[in-house]
Structures are given as C-alpha cells and as structure tokens.
Amino acid sequence: MVQKYQSPVRVYKYPFELIMAAYERRFPTCPLIPMFVGSDTVNEFKSEDGAIHVIERRCKLDVDAPRLLKKIAGVDFVYFVQKNSLNSRERTLHIEAHNETFSNRVIINEHCCYTVHPENEDWTCFEQSASLDIKSFFGFESTVEKIAMKQYTSNIKKGKEIIEYYLRQLEEEGITFVPRWTPPSITPSAETSSSSCKKQAASMAVVIPDAALKEGLSGDALSSPSAPEPVVGTPDDKLDADYIKRYLGDLTPLQESCLIRLRQWLQETHKGKIPKDEHILRFLRARDFNIDKAREIMCQSLTWRKQHQVDYILETWTPPQVLQDYYAGGWHHHDKDGRPLYVLRLGQMDTKGLVRALGEEALLRYVLSINEEGLRRCEENTKVFGRPISSWTCLVDLEGLNMRHLWRPGVKALLRIIEVVEANYPETLGRLLILRAPRVFPVLWTLVSPFIDDNTRRKFLIYAGNDYQGPGGLLDYIDKEIIPDFLSGECMCEVPEGGLVPKSLYRTAEELENEDLKLWTETIYQSASVFKGAPHEILVQIVDASSVITWDFDVCKGDIVFNIYHSKRSPQPPKKDSLGAHSITSPGGNNVQLIDKVWQLGRDYSMVESPLICKEGESVQGSHVTRWPGFYILQWKFHSMPACAASSLPRVDDVLASLQVSSHKCKVMYYTEVIGSEDFRGSMTSLESSHSGFSQLSAATTSSSQSHSSSMISRWRFC
C-alpha cells in the first residue's frame, strides 16, 4: 500500500529572500535533525545572470531503526538524492528528493515548494507532498513502514521550528533583510548569449521530475510520481496551517494530510462547492481518519441532505404548535468548554402523545432542525471564544421517566431518529449528561445503546438520583450561574416544561400515514434504479425550438453513462421494469425504458450530446439548448467499472470504485425542468465540466467555465 502525505500551506511572515538565507544554513548538515549526518554536492548550475541556481546533493541519514533490522539490511546509513531549483526571478524554490538506498525495494518521493504568498509579497508559503511505497523488505515491510512514517511525521513537526531557529540566528548576526534579485546590466553584444543561458537555466528549473526526500531533508516532508505538484493558491483553494489550528484544532501531520487529500478529492469531483472543512473533518474523525470510509459515508449524507432539502430546513420549515408547546427541549447557553448546551427534559415529555399527534416524520424533522441549529451555534461559538468548537453538549433530565416512555411506536421513532442523526451528524455530540436516571432507565438503555456508535457511547455520563450534585457532577462541566432552575440552579431555563399532549390533538393512523408520506416525498427529486441492460429513461416533449432542458442529478450508487437523444416521433408508452424482481424498496425508485429495441440510432432517433460518464458520488447539473421541436430522451445507463488498483486514495477517475456495491445495479436521484431560453440564467460551461457540489454545508470555490457548441451547463448554487 502506498502511504501518501500532503501538507497544509505553512506561512512564514518573512520575505522569500530571508527564508532562503535561513534555509541554506541547513547544509551541509543540521544539528536540529540528528539523523541528518551530512551531505555532498553532486551537481550545481548557475545561470549567467544569477537568477537560476540548481543544486543536487547526496544526503546521508542515520535512520533510527532496530540494530537487527540494520544488520539484516546490511547498511548503517541511508542515502537520498535531493535537487533544489531556485528561481530568484520568480521567487520560487522547488525541492525534490528520492531514496538512493534500496530504491529497487522501497520508493520514497518528496516534493516541496517555497513561493511568495499570493496576497502579501513580504510573506512566504511552504507546501510539501510525499509518498512511501514499500515493495519488499526482507519480510519486514510493515515494520519499515511504521518506522518511516513515525520518523517522517516527527521531522514534519520540526520543519517550521528549524527555519525559525535559523531566522533568529540571522537576526542575532544583524541580518534582517536580504535584497531581492535584480537583473545585471548587460551590453547589447552579450544579450544573445545571455538570453540562451536564461532559457537553458529556466528549463532546468521548471522541468522538475517528481522525486522527493524522505526524512524531511528539504526542510519539511515525503511525494510520489503521481502526486500533484503543490502550488500555493488562494485561501479558498488551500488550507494553511494557522487556519487549521485556529478553526479546526490541533491535528497531527497525518490527520492534516487526510483532511487536505479528501478536500482535494471533493474539489475535483464536486466542482463549484464543497462541504465546509469542519464538516469534512467530522466524517474523518467518525472513521478514525480512514479516507475511503469517510468519503463513502459523507457522499451518502450529502445526497441525503439534498434529497430532503435539509439545507433549508431552518429557513423554510416552522415546527407545528404542538411541538413548540410540548417538546421539552431547547438551547441554553454553553458549557465550560464553550460548546452550545442543549437541554432535554425527556422525563417530562409525552413521547406517546407527540407521536400520536404529529407522527414519526414530523418529530424527525424537528430533531434535524435542532441539529442544524447546533451546527450554526458551533460556528458562532468558534468566533466568540477564539478556538475551534465543532460539537455541542446535551443535558438530558430523566426525572419522570416511566413505562409510558417505553411505548413501542415511541421507541421505534427514537431509534430511527438516532440512526439518521448518527449517519448524518457524526462527531457533533461532545458530551451527553444524563441526570436523575430512574430504575426504568436500564430498560431503555438496553433498547437504544446498540444503535449508538462506540465513540458516541464513550461521551455519555450517567447520574442516578442527586449524584449529579456531588464531586464529578454537573459543576465540573457547566458553570454554576447557568445551571437550570429545575436542577436546583440559579438560571431560569426557558425550555418548555412538556406535559401530556391533549388527546383532542391526536390524529388517526390514516392521517398520520398520509402526513408521513407527504414529508417523505416532499422533494423535487425523483429516484430511479439502473440495471445492467435496463437503463432508466425519461421523456421531454419540446414544442418550441431553442427551449432549454435543464437537469440536476446525483449518482447515489454505481457508475452510469448519461445520454441525451432526440426523436421526431413519440416513443411507445414506457415499460416499467419489475421492481420486485430487483428488490427495489426505495420510495419513488423506478426503472423506465422508452427506446424500443427495434429502434435504430441514426434512423429513429439521434444522439444530441456526447455520452457523459458519471462516477458514484458525483453530482451533475447541466442544460441543453434544443435545436428542433420533438421528443428528447434523457437516459441513465449502467457503466461497467474496471477494478481499482489498491491505494490509500483512488484516482479521481476511479471515484468510489473501492466501495462495496452491487455489480449490476445503480441508483440515481434526478430533477429536470424545461424553461424558455430567454428565462435561462446562470454561468454556462461544457458538459464535461458539469460536476458540482450540492450542500449548504459548503464553501464556494471557483472553477473555469467553457462553452459548448450545443450544450450549456449551469452550476447552480444550493444555498
């Protein structure tokens, strides 16, 4: 397995030239890196005008490895080749390194880059990427990998400290400014030869093979031949280390790398918008920073949010009056860590009455609105307290809990709510304080606990009776001034007291069933299943030429090919595939085929767009300006996917190929609309660049737009 690393952007608030002066002091050896024994210059080139300086060194490392392993390997030192390409004119330094020792068994590459900050020319940015691929190593592959990653991450942490150490050393010597490179004065006769030298030097500096250093020789980290070359961009494009620490918290170098790599994958597959960094981080933490697993559950959650329009729930949905009066829960200040505090008086709440009066779906929607409000409050508290706050604390008072709360439909609703919240709001619960747990609580806990994630269960603190008032109780987590009055505190709590829901508000089972169905289907999107040999097709009839067919769809499962056809005659009535035969249970899921098998392409119908291959997890928005009236058929067809090579992060072309999915069934969620061309608005881009993000939990990113001769794609913002 190839281990990869991608750093955030590290910003030095010093000019590029001063950073270069500090960096050069690391050679031929650096006392701050004990394993760096020494280095010898192998090749060196300087352009005539002094703007280009390329130097290649052979570096000697004393790797901290078990003596037995060194004896088996037959070496005491490990050698790396490092190439530095300094362009003083452009103010950039590219550093590449690769291992020379055991290069036929172990492939280590690193690429680092120093550039000028895009918004402040007196600051310097640093980025690095690296990769480690152990082919074989005398049966000790796993041991060598652990040793390499441990030492590498250790040197990453030292990178900035080392540069700052030499900056202080320069300052002590009275060097606080290094002038920028300026072109020397040249005579006309020397101009031709000088120009050729510059071109030769520039080619040496710009064409940088993907090689890289192992143990932080470049000043900072490991990269692979396939790893993208780091290029410092705007803050919207890149994450810098200071931003991560301020808004996301203290992450290890490998955790930072997981966040950046998953974020890059989202930028490439969901162009236009991507989820916010703190939201990506929640899913990574929920899966112990396993990128493949985090990507899978996050894509499923983002599709769910879009289908049920969760992004707009706070603005568009008003809770029924019954909930406002009898749901005994609400937000109440914050805990000692700055987390928003939610108080739920479950023991005083008539769960049976609420389910009978509102139904399961309305309760679920209300809980979703609570979680959305929690996300908003976390962002606010992060700004107020000046430190990352990504979760909230929940205080649950169980006084009054009895067998009525164990009513089976009520428990069923609770279990479903837990399941939905666990899947779509991971790592949002920082702490759960359960107070005044009665004797019946173990029964409820036995029913509920299997549906709660292990990481979440570890955040539960349960107090029986008045134990919460003693040592290790409520005062350890909540300031005395904001403890609610019903818990013998001093703060008036505005959370509703709950109570029994009047039976006059109860609704019949039929009414509740219809209401639940309405909430479930309250979406402009439709679901469809696509099988091998059985595409899903929809018909769009166009009366006026130059109308615009628009579409928006997500590939929820499998890989599909999207096609658009035109026909002058109407297809036969749609043939619906037998859903039961394919075990399709999703609401609204169907499979419709319109193109008759006797039809011939080019005679009975024609293709008006090039086929677009869409991978699982992608979201696609687009439009087509019709040239002729008639019948247009939008088709989603099964696409076979070659097996994905094992790697820690698949290529973008292999989106989600490693996920365990059925090999013969795909699922899409789509919406289409026909509008007049004069009413069509939006940025137009080509069909090939139509992939886009789709969640309110996102920050806008920019991407270039192109025009297409017959197709125009609109990136719609869902915010």
Side-chain angles (χ1 to χ4, degrees):
M1 167 128 0
V2 179
Q3 294 290 341
K4 294 185 179 181
Y5 173 78
Q6 175 63 57
S7 77
V9 178
R10 186 176 300 156
V11 178
Y12 297 96
K13 296 183 179 179
Y14 297 92
F16 176 81
E17 289 71 23
L18 194 61
I19 294 294
M20 291 299 98
Y23 174 76
E24 282 301 319
R25 296 203 168 201
R26 300 181 47 176
F27 301 99
T29 186
C30 178
L32 299 180
I33 308 179
M35 65 180 300
F36 183 20
V37 178
S39 62
D40 299 315
T41 299
V42 178
N43 290 305
E44 187 171 6
F45 168 82
K46 274 190 176 182
S47 63
E48 187 174 322
D49 61 2
I52 305 298
H53 185 192
V54 181
I55 185 169
E56 190 172 328
R57 297 183 176 95
R58 188 169 185 262
C59 304
K60 183 179 180 181
L61 303 181
D62 184 7
V63 180
D64 184 14
R67 183 176 299 176
L68 176 61
L69 186 61
K70 286 187 174 182
K71 190 172 182 180
I72 292 174
V75 297
D76 292 323
F77 300 101
V78 175
Y79 290 90
F80 275 74
V81 175
Q82 182 192 36
K83 178 183 176 182
N84 292 359
S85 301
L86 174 65
N87 187 327
S88 298
R89 182 186 294 104
E90 301 294 335
R91 303 179 75 196
T92 61
L93 172 66
H94 291 277
I95 307 164
E96 301 170 332
H98 65 274
N99 62 305
E100 183 181 85
T101 307
F102 300 120
S103 58
N104 60 331
R105 295 178 178 271
V106 180
I107 301 174
I108 301 172
N109 291 293
E110 181 187 49
H111 180 264
C112 304
C113 179
Y114 286 91
T115 59
V116 177
H117 194 283
E119 296 178 358
N120 190 330
E121 63 178 15
D122 290 327
W123 291 358
T124 306
C125 295
F126 172 81
E127 271 191 275
Q128 63 192 116
S129 61
S131 70
L132 168 67
D133 185 8
I134 301 177
K135 305 293 185 182
S136 64
F137 203 85
F138 312 106
F140 291 92
E141 292 80 11
S142 179
T143 302
V144 171
E145 181 178 298
K146 290 178 181 178
I147 292 173
M149 296 305 294
K150 181 180 178 181
Q151 295 196 8
Y152 189 66
T153 53
S154 175
N155 286 329
I156 290 170
K157 294 178 181 178
K158 292 180 181 178
K160 189 171 184 178
E161 297 175 9
I162 293 171
I163 292 294
E164 291 176 344
Y165 169 81
Y166 286 118
L167 285 171
R168 288 192 297 269
Q169 193 178 84
L170 287 169
E171 186 177 359
E172 291 170 0
E173 296 174 8
I175 303 174
T176 58
F177 174 77
V178 176
R180 295 185 187 181
W181 174 88
T182 54
S185 300
I186 57 175
T187 61
S189 60
E191 188 173 348
T192 304
S193 60
S194 175
S195 176
S196 62
C197 288
K198 288 180 182 178
K199 289 180 181 178
Q200 179 186 3
S203 64
M204 296 183 67
V206 173
V207 181
I208 301 177
D210 278 325
L213 184 58
K214 176 184 177 184
E215 307 292 346
L217 287 183
S218 60
D220 308 50
L222 285 166
S223 162
S224 78
S226 60
E229 181 176 305
V231 179
V232 175
T234 65
D236 285 341
D237 299 325
K238 303 278 185 174
L239 296 181
D240 74 57
D242 293 337
Y243 163 82
I244 290 177
K245 186 173 183 179
R246 167 65 178 83
Y247 291 99
L248 304 178
D250 291 320
L251 304 179
T252 67
L254 293 183
Q255 288 173 344
E256 289 178 341
S257 176
C258 289
L259 172 63
I260 292 165
R261 289 162 58 204
L262 183 52
R263 189 176 185 269
Q264 288 176 342
W265 179 86
L266 285 165
Q267 285 176 322
E268 292 167 338
T269 58
H270 297 291
K271 293 176 181 176
K273 295 179 71 177
I274 63 171
K276 292 180 180 177
D277 300 320
E278 55 267 31
H279 193 56
I280 300 174
L281 190 58
R282 288 186 181 105
F283 283 95
L284 282 168
R285 283 176 170 151
R287 292 298 179 266
D288 295 324
F289 287 87
N290 182 305
I291 292 181
D292 292 334
K293 293 180 179 179
R295 185 177 64 248
E296 177 183 359
I297 61 173
M298 183 170 64
C299 287
Q300 292 171 353
S301 176
L302 292 175
T303 301
W304 168 84
R305 294 183 67 86
K306 181 175 182 178
Q307 183 174 16
H308 298 290
Q309 303 179 63
V310 180
D311 294 333
Y312 314 108
I313 195 168
L314 293 178
E315 292 79 19
T316 61
W317 187 70
T318 302
Q321 193 61 43
V322 178
L323 279 173
Q324 298 181 40
D325 295 339
Y326 295 99
Y327 191 92
W331 294 99
H332 180 75
H333 300 284
H334 55 80
D335 68 4
K336 287 187 174 181
D337 295 323
R339 297 189 185 104
L341 176 63
Y342 189 82
V343 175
L344 179 64
R345 302 184 67 178
L346 184 60
Q348 303 299 313
M349 192 159 62
D350 181 10
T351 53
K352 179 178 181 179
L354 288 172
V355 173
R356 291 289 301 274
L358 296 168
E360 183 179 319
E361 290 298 322
L363 277 175
L364 173 59
R365 183 165 293 197
Y366 190 55
V367 173
L368 296 182
S369 70
I370 292 170
N371 280 270
E372 291 298 302
E373 175 64 17
L375 295 176
R376 188 188 66 80
R377 287 174 178 259
C378 285
E379 290 186 22
E380 286 185 356
N381 286 18
T382 295
K383 297 174 183 177
V384 171
F385 292 99
R387 61 178 182 272
I389 296 173
S390 60
S391 59
W392 51 83
T393 293
C394 187
L395 187 156
V396 180
D397 179 23
L398 296 183
E399 185 181 52
L401 190 76
N402 54 45
M403 293 303 294
R404 180 183 176 86
H405 292 86
L406 300 181
W407 181 57
R408 186 171 179 179
V411 173
K412 174 176 171 287
L414 176 61
L415 294 179
R416 185 184 170 210
I417 289 171
I418 291 173
E419 182 181 9
V420 172
V421 171
E422 282 280 305
N424 298 286
Y425 299 92
E427 297 298 313
T428 54
L429 182 65
R431 185 179 293 118
L432 180 64
L433 304 170
I434 300 177
L435 311 183
R436 302 197 280 195
R439 291 184 178 181
V440 74
F441 174 71
V443 180
L444 180 63
W445 179 249
T446 301
L447 294 172
V448 170
S449 60
F451 296 88
I452 301 174
D453 180 76
D454 289 339
N455 290 336
T456 303
R457 276 206 298 267
R458 285 193 284 268
K459 301 171 185 176
F460 285 31
L461 296 171
I462 303 173
Y463 302 89
N466 293 323
D467 291 349
Y468 70 91
Q469 296 177 348
L474 205 55
L475 283 173
D476 285 9
Y477 306 103
I478 301 174
D479 290 327
K480 181 179 179 180
E481 295 76 17
I482 64 171
I483 292 180
D485 54 330
F486 62 84
L487 294 174
S488 304
E490 303 173 358
C491 185
M492 290 297 295
C493 185
E494 297 181 359
V495 172
E497 295 183 2
L500 294 176
V501 177
K503 291 187 177 181
S504 60
L505 298 176
Y506 285 12
R507 303 167 71 182
T508 66
E510 183 179 350
E511 289 175 328
L512 290 176
E513 185 177 350
N514 292 336
E515 182 67 17
D516 284 354
L517 181 62
K518 178 184 175 183
L519 287 171
W520 176 253
T521 58
E522 194 173 291
T523 172
I524 60 176
Y525 295 91
Q526 300 183 56
S527 295
S529 296
V530 178
F531 304 97
K532 197 169 186 178
H536 177 70
E537 297 162 344
I538 62 173
L539 182 66
V540 179
Q541 184 174 0
I542 298 297
V543 178
D544 299 323
S546 298
S547 296
V548 181
I549 303 173
T550 64
W551 59 83
D552 174 12
F553 66 86
D554 294 330
V555 185
C556 306
K557 184 177 182 180
D559 301 337
I560 60 99
V561 180
F562 180 61
N563 290 302
I564 307 174
Y565 299 104
H566 173 263
S567 175
K568 294 181 179 179
R569 59 183 175 131
S570 174
Q572 294 298 317
K575 301 175 182 179
K576 291 197 174 182
D577 194 43
S578 172
L579 300 186
H582 296 284
S583 302
I584 299 175
T585 57
S586 302
N590 56 44
N591 179 269
V592 177
Q593 290 134 53
L594 298 169
I595 300 177
D596 198 294
K597 294 188 182 298
V598 300
W599 279 22
Q600 292 185 13
L601 184 63
R603 184 191 69 183
D604 301 290
Y605 66 107
S606 59
M607 182 179 292
V608 296
E609 288 286 359
S610 299
L612 177 66
I613 298 175
C614 306
K615 308 294 186 178
E616 181 172 317
E618 291 185 345
S619 180
V620 181
Q621 294 84 42
S623 63
H624 174 80
V625 179
T626 61
R627 295 183 179 180
W628 318 279
F631 300 91
Y632 287 80
I633 299 171
L634 276 60
Q635 180 193 74
W636 292 268
K637 186 171 66 174
F638 180 89
H639 175 66
S640 299
M641 184 73 178
C644 177
S647 68
S648 58
L649 183 64
R651 300 186 309 273
V652 175
D653 292 337
D654 297 328
V655 178
L656 295 178
S658 61
L659 303 184
Q660 300 300 315
V661 298
S662 168
S663 59
H664 299 292
K665 183 170 76 173
C666 304
K667 187 176 179 181
V668 295
M669 185 180 73
Y670 66 90
Y671 167 74
T672 62
E673 183 181 2
V674 178
I675 55 180
S677 59
E678 66 278 3
D679 299 324
F680 186 72
R681 296 292 183 270
S683 59
M684 306 302 181
T685 60
S686 69
L687 188 64
E688 287 74 11
S689 63
S690 63
H691 303 79
S692 172
F694 45 76
S695 178
Q696 182 72 17
L697 289 169
S698 59
T701 57
T702 57
S703 54
S704 62
S705 63
Q706 307 171 22
S707 62
H708 190 277
S709 59
S710 62
S711 171
M712 293 183 281
I713 307 304
S714 171
R715 289 203 182 94
W716 298 327
R717 295 176 180 265
F718 296 96
C719 58

